[in-house]
Amino acid sequence: MYRENYINSLRAEMVAMVEKNLTPVAKEYGYSDVPLESTIKWRPMVLILGNYSSGKSTLINEFLGADIQAIGQAPTDDSFTIITHDDSTDDNQEIHVTQERDGKFLLNDPDYPFEILKKHGQRFAAHFRLKKINSRFLKNLALIDTPGMLDSITERDRGYDYQEVIGDLAQLADLVLVLFDPHKAGTVRESHTSLRETITTRTFEDRVLFVLNRIDECASLSDLLQVYGTLCWNLSQITGRKDIPAILLTYSSRAAKNSTSHEKDRGFLYNLENQRQKLKNSVLDAPRYRLDNLATFVETHAERLDHFLEAILSYRKRLRRFRARFGMIGLIISIIAGTVAIFIGVSTGFLGGFYDTMAIGAGGVAACLCMVFWMLMPMKYFKSVFHRKYLKNIDRLIPLETQTRKDSWQAVRELAYKYLKKTNGRFSLRNVKQQYTTVHQVFVEGTREIRKALNELSNIKFDETTPGEEPAGPQINENPAQNQAPGHSSTPKSTS
Ligand SMILES: Nc1nc2c(ncn2[C@@H]2O[C@H](COP(=O)(O)OP(=O)(O)O)[C@@H](O)[C@H]2O)c(=O)[nH]1
Ligand SMILES: [Mg+2]
C-alpha cells in the first residue's frame, strides 16, 4: 500500500509538473496540439502483441480470473481492446464486464489518452473498444489485447495501417509483451520493426518483454530448446544485437489440459512453472514502469523545449546586437551628413547670410533625415539579409557539441525555423526569457529530483506498509523554480 501510494503521488506530481510548466510552452509554439500530459495522465498500460493464436487472450483471461476475451485457434478477435478496472463497481462480485465503450467514444473522450489514434480513421475506430471489468488485478492498470498479425493479403484488407497503430499504442504503453508460440517462433519481424521505430533505444530494453508461450506444446525438452534457439536467432537478426534479450518461457496450464499436449513428455515444464508468475509480476509492476517512462517523457520534452527556446532566444539576442551595431553605424553616418550639411551651408552661403545657428539647425535636420532614411531603407535591407542568413543556417543558433543535443535539436529544428519565419523575429524577448527559465529548471532540476525519487522508490519493497499512516508521497515541486536546494530530499524514507 505504501509503495502504491508513493508511486501514485509521484506520478500525479510529475503530471502536474508537465501540465504547469511544459504544456503552456508546447501549445504556444505549436510543439504539441494537445496538452502534453494528455498521453500520460491515464493509468499505466500493458500492450500485448503477438501472432494470432499465440495465446494473448488466454493470458489476459488468466490474469483477470474470468473469460473476458474470446479465444480460439482461428483468428477470433480482430479488435484492439482496452481492458481496465471499473472503479465504480464492487470487486467482490463475480468478475464480469461492467461497461463497454466503442472506438468512436474512446477516440473523442479527452479523459482517455487515445485521441492521437484518431488519425487511423473509421475502419480502425470500428475495431477499437474498451471493456471495464471488476477484476482487482486491473486496479491501477489497463491491458491492451490486440488482433494478431495475419498473412499479408488479409493484412491489406484491414483498412488501416496495423503497423502504425501498433507503433502508436507502444508509445502510450509502459510495458509491451511480445508473445511467440512454438509453431511460429520468428514471424513477428514486422511488428518488431514498428516497435523499434517508435520506442527509443534508451527505453527499449526496459519496456519490451519477449515471451515464448504455449511451451507445453513442445514434444520434449530438446524440442523446446530447438524452438528457443530458433527464436533467439530470429530475435538477434531483427534486433541486430549479438546478446539475446531475456525471453520468458511459459504456458497456460488450463489451456494445456484441454489440448493434446498431455500425450507428450512434459517433465521439462516442472522447472519453468515459476515463469508464469514472473510474467504476472512484471505486468503488475507496470505502474513502476510508468514512472520510469514518465521520467523519460519529462526529460525528453523538457530538453527539446529547452533547446527550442534557447534557439529563438539566441536569435533575438543576435538581432539586438545587430540592430545596435547597425544603428550606431547609421548614427555616425547621419552625424557626418549633418556636419557636411553645416559645412556646405556656411561655406557656400546658400543659406543667404543667415546666422550660423540656422546652419547648425539645418545640419541637424539633415542628420535626422539621414537617420530616418537609414532606418527605413538600408537597415531594413540588412535586417532581412540577417534574417535570411540565420534561417538558412539555423543550426548556428545553438551549440551542438554532443549527440544528445543534436538529437533533441533535430526534433525541434523545423519548429524553430517555422516560428522565426512566421514572426520575422518579432516576439516578446521578456516572455521567451521567462519561459526559458522555467523550462530550463524543469530540464535540469526537475528531472534530477524525479530520478532521486525513483532511486528511493527502488529501496521500497513490494510488501511494505505503514499501518495507520498515510504516506506523504514524494515532493517534487510542481514549480521547479521553488524546488529545494539540491541534495535535500523530502521523499519519505522506507520505514522497515
Ligand atoms: N496448449 C496450449 N494452448 C494454448 C495456450 N495458450 C492458448 N492456447 C490455445 O490457443 C488458442 C488461441 O488462443 P488465444 O488466446 O485466442 O490466442 P490469441 O489469438 O493470441 O488471442 C486457443 O485455442 C487456446 O486455448 C497454451 O499455453 N497452451
Ligand atoms: Mg485474441
Side-chain angles (χ1 to χ4, degrees):
M1 214 40 199
Y2 179 75
R3 191 175 190 271
E4 191 183 315
N5 287 348
Y6 188 101
I7 289 178
N8 285 343
S9 54
L10 183 52
R11 196 173 98 203
E13 289 183 29
M14 280 198 225
V15 171
M17 181 153 92
V18 170
E19 189 173 5
K20 189 170 174 197
N21 300 305
L22 301 185
T23 289
V25 179
K27 285 192 92 174
E28 179 173 339
Y29 297 101
Y31 176 75
S32 167
D33 297 334
V34 292
L36 279 182
E37 69 282 1
S38 64
T39 52
I40 53 170
K41 68 180 178 197
W42 206 55
R43 51 195 67 178
M45 282 180 270
V46 179
L47 175 66
I48 302 170
L49 298 177
N51 286 311
Y52 71 91
S53 283
S54 54
K56 300 179 291 296
S57 304
T58 305
L59 181 72
I60 290 173
N61 287 347
E62 212 177 85
F63 285 158
L64 303 181
D67 291 336
I68 300 296
Q69 290 294 88
I71 58 169
Q73 284 295 351
T76 37
D77 188 354
D78 61 352
S79 288
F80 289 85
T81 313
I82 314 286
I83 309 162
T84 193
H85 187 253
D86 189 342
D87 298 332
S88 65
T89 52
D90 183 3
D91 287 351
N92 294 322
Q93 285 177 9
E94 194 187 332
I95 295 165
H96 64 286
V97 177
T98 57
Q99 210 183 93
E100 274 198 68
R101 295 287 191 169
D102 62 19
K104 266 205 187 106
F105 167 86
L106 266 183
L107 297 174
N108 290 303
D109 188 337
D111 283 346
Y112 293 97
F114 305 115
E115 270 183 278
I116 60 156
L117 297 168
K118 253 190 196 170
K119 60 173 185 266
H120 298 295
Q122 301 287 333
R123 287 284 289 275
F124 168 70
H127 291 90
F128 190 47
R129 67 170 71 117
L130 172 96
K131 282 183 186 172
K132 282 190 177 180
I133 66 168
N134 58 338
S135 169
R136 242 175 244 269
F137 183 86
L138 289 177
K139 266 231 141 105
N140 266 323
L141 199 67
L143 302 178
I144 311 176
D145 195 4
T146 59
M149 314 269 309
L150 297 166
D151 59 275
S152 53
I153 297 164
T154 334
E155 190 71 13
R156 256 183 258 128
D157 292 341
R158 283 189 201 267
Y160 60 85
D161 193 324
Y162 177 84
Q163 302 300 331
E164 278 186 17
V165 172
I166 294 285
D168 284 347
L169 286 171
Q171 260 181 335
L172 290 174
D174 301 286
L175 178 66
V176 182
L177 303 185
V178 185
L179 266 62
F180 302 88
D181 64 86
H183 314 288
K184 304 183 252 356
T187 50
V188 287
R189 173 179 282 270
E190 283 161 300
S191 78
H192 193 277
T193 309
S194 70
L195 285 183
R196 225 11 324 151
E197 280 164 8
T198 45
I199 300 178
T200 61
T201 324
R202 237 192 309 180
T203 57
F204 192 89
E205 268 72 34
D206 305 329
R207 237 158 136 174
V208 180
L209 198 54
F210 296 105
V211 181
L212 177 58
N213 198 26
R214 297 178 67 160
I215 55 165
D216 60 289
E217 293 182 311
C218 293
S220 61
L221 180 61
S222 69
D223 188 19
L224 172 66
L225 289 176
Q226 205 151 16
V227 170
Y228 182 74
T230 310
L231 181 56
C232 288
W233 166 255
N234 281 324
L235 282 180
S236 72
Q237 289 297 298
I238 297 167
T239 56
R241 293 174 58 135
K242 288 198 182 74
D243 53 337
I244 296 160
I247 303 172
L248 283 172
L249 307 175
T250 183
Y251 70 102
S252 153
S253 45
R254 190 174 150 204
K257 271 189 203 120
N258 299 334
S259 83
T260 51
S261 49
H262 62 273
E263 293 157 11
K264 296 164 190 162
D265 165 23
R266 293 193 304 159
F268 64 91
L269 291 178
Y270 179 75
N271 292 321
L272 297 168
E273 294 295 340
N274 66 338
Q275 302 269 298
R276 201 64 161 184
Q277 190 57 38
K278 264 192 174 173
L279 183 57
K280 194 169 179 178
N281 287 348
S282 295
V283 171
L284 283 172
D285 208 18
R288 213 250 319 139
Y289 290 112
R290 158 62 52 106
L291 284 188
D292 285 342
N293 296 339
L294 268 182
T296 310
F297 181 95
V298 173
E299 276 165 7
T300 308
H301 292 291
E303 186 176 26
R304 287 178 184 173
L305 288 172
D306 181 79
H307 292 165
F308 169 80
L309 292 170
E310 187 183 336
I312 63 171
L313 210 54
S314 155
Y315 175 92
R316 270 305 294 261
K317 284 182 182 161
R318 283 162 203 249
L319 182 62
R320 197 168 57 182
R321 276 204 300 276
F322 164 85
R323 282 211 174 108
R325 208 167 47 237
F326 271 71
M328 192 56 79
I329 294 172
L331 193 67
I332 292 166
I333 292 174
S334 304
I335 290 170
I336 293 170
T339 312
V340 170
I342 295 169
F343 181 74
I344 293 171
V346 172
S347 62
T348 60
F350 79 81
L351 288 168
F354 285 114
Y355 297 110
D356 285 354
T357 43
M358 286 293 285
I360 290 168
V365 170
C368 285
L369 285 174
C370 182
M371 191 66 193
V372 169
F373 173 76
W374 177 262
M375 294 306 281
L376 289 178
M377 303 294 285
M379 183 78 166
K380 242 184 160 170
Y381 171 74
F382 286 121
K383 153 89 201 318
S384 74
V385 172
F386 168 93
H387 188 65
R388 280 202 304 274
K389 181 179 118 187
Y390 276 103
L391 282 186
K392 207 169 159 197
N393 303 294
I394 196 160
D395 296 339
R396 283 167 56 179
L397 287 176
I398 61 165
L400 296 169
E401 69 275 10
T402 63
Q403 191 56 42
T404 323
R405 265 183 91 86
K406 279 183 197 156
D407 292 345
S408 134
W409 169 240
Q410 207 52 41
V412 286
R413 186 181 183 278
E414 187 67 19
L415 193 67
Y417 177 87
K418 281 188 186 149
Y419 184 74
L420 291 176
K421 195 168 177 197
K422 189 179 90 186
T423 56
N424 214 357
R426 277 190 287 269
F427 50 84
S428 160
L429 186 60
R430 212 168 127 241
N431 185 28
V432 177
K433 265 186 181 163
Q434 269 172 2
Q435 291 172 332
Y436 179 66
T437 311
T438 312
V439 170
H440 194 68
Q441 264 169 339
V442 172
F443 174 45
V444 178
E445 289 173 30
T447 52
R448 194 172 47 213
E449 288 289 323
I450 291 173
R451 290 287 168 202
K452 210 158 66 182
L454 283 178
N455 275 343
E456 295 203 18
L457 176 69
S458 58
N459 296 327
I460 303 174
K461 293 182 198 81
F462 262 103
D463 54 349
E464 204 160 332
T465 50
T466 315
E469 187 189 313
E470 274 296 301
Q475 300 281 304
I476 292 176
N477 203 323
E478 278 175 32
N479 181 357
Q482 294 160 15
N483 262 341
Q484 303 108 341
H488 170 83
S489 164
S490 50
T491 20
K493 291 276 180 281
S494 157
T495 51
S496 64

